[in-house]
Amino acid sequence: MPDTTPVRRRPVADADATLTEQAYRAIEEAIVTLDVAPGKVVSEAQLATKLGFGRTPVREALQRLARERLVRILPRRGIVVAAVDVGEQLRLLEVRREIERLVARTAARRADAAQRARFREIAAGMEQVAAEGDETGFLRLDRALNLLVLEAARNEFATATMALMHGLSRRFWFLHWRQATGLEASAAVHAALARAIAEGDAARAAAASDALVDFIEAFTRRTLAQP
């Protein structure tokens, strides 16, 4: 019988990123992929030792994660990884729907040639890792897509708002996708958005964004029926 265990890969270091950014990416991925479980209490020292960073970049990364609601910093008690909340996720999607539609439409109009090529690469990459059952690879490409859409839209206010939502959404998906959906279905709706933006079709990009949020909302609601 073939092994159907999802593939997990280690984070890839980015030499161009600051130590704080590298620490942020490592801790965020550990939280999103549940290597650091919801409700767990950790310390700066533990994370610094586990991930191989100094205390200062870890502290700065945790402050950013606190703003994104993935952790709560309790003075003299430690850092608590935020719980997963379905109601919170549904409220978050109300906001995401409106902002992501705007951002997708704007990105389709403003993306340059290099960004359009990268959107196509991400779409193909998502379909490939989904076919391979590589959940961590899919999450990394999802993050890359989120960041590229914001970069192409060139709107700092949308960027600041969406940065507060992506980690929570990705963690919720990682926790429940095996029961409520599949990698290939997720890849299809994400790839459709990426290709619409790559082709510069603003109307189709907005529609693809709505379809993606519809998919995520339906997936979220299905988790309510699970035991």
Side-chain angles (χ1 to χ4, degrees):
M1 180 178 294
D3 183 3
T4 58
T5 302
V7 177
R8 299 291 300 279
R9 299 185 297 188
R10 290 187 174 186
V12 177
D14 182 352
D16 295 329
T18 65
L19 286 175
T20 295
E21 177 66 20
Q22 291 180 45
Y24 165 80
R25 293 181 190 177
I27 299 170
E28 195 255 14
E29 183 171 295
I31 292 172
V32 166
T33 59
L34 308 178
D35 284 342
V36 182
K40 183 175 180 61
V41 179
V42 296
S43 69
E44 289 179 8
Q46 288 172 334
L47 291 171
T49 300
K50 176 181 175 66
L51 299 171
F53 292 100
R55 294 281 291 272
T56 297
V58 166
R59 181 180 305 114
E60 292 172 349
L62 288 169
Q63 290 169 350
R64 179 174 169 186
L65 290 164
R67 291 193 295 273
E68 296 174 6
R69 301 174 67 90
L70 282 168
V71 302
R72 289 186 297 130
I73 299 174
L74 305 178
R76 297 181 298 279
R77 293 175 55 192
I79 295 95
V80 181
V81 178
V84 176
D85 185 306
V86 176
E88 178 182 69
Q89 174 73 359
L90 290 170
R91 293 191 299 275
L92 180 151
L93 288 173
E94 291 177 357
V95 179
R96 276 190 63 181
R97 178 182 297 278
E98 302 303 322
I99 298 176
E100 287 201 355
R101 183 191 304 119
L102 168 66
V103 171
R105 186 168 57 237
T106 306
R109 292 171 178 157
R110 296 178 178 172
D112 60 29
Q115 289 167 334
R116 295 185 194 282
R118 179 60 180 148
F119 277 117
R120 295 186 183 95
E121 290 174 1
I122 289 173
M126 282 187 148
E127 291 167 342
Q128 179 178 341
V129 297
E132 295 169 354
D134 182 355
E135 58 184 0
T136 304
F138 179 86
L139 273 174
R140 290 177 184 166
L141 285 171
D142 179 48
R143 183 177 187 276
L145 176 60
N146 292 339
L147 294 176
L148 185 60
V149 172
L150 294 173
E151 177 187 304
R154 297 179 173 83
N155 185 312
E156 67 273 26
F157 301 103
T159 297
T161 302
M162 290 307 302
L164 301 175
M165 306 183 198
H166 285 153
L168 287 170
S169 290
R170 289 165 55 245
R171 182 177 64 159
F172 188 92
W173 176 88
F174 192 93
L175 180 62
H176 292 290
W177 75 267
R178 295 175 190 82
Q179 293 77 32
T181 185
L183 279 179
E184 293 187 1
S186 294
V189 289
H190 284 82
L193 171 62
R195 291 192 173 108
I197 295 174
E199 292 168 15
D201 190 329
R204 187 153 65 90
S209 177
D210 281 344
L212 173 57
V213 177
D214 286 343
F215 176 84
I216 297 170
E217 182 175 345
F219 153 70
T220 301
R221 293 188 183 281
R222 282 198 298 275
T223 67
L224 293 170
Q226 295 171 10

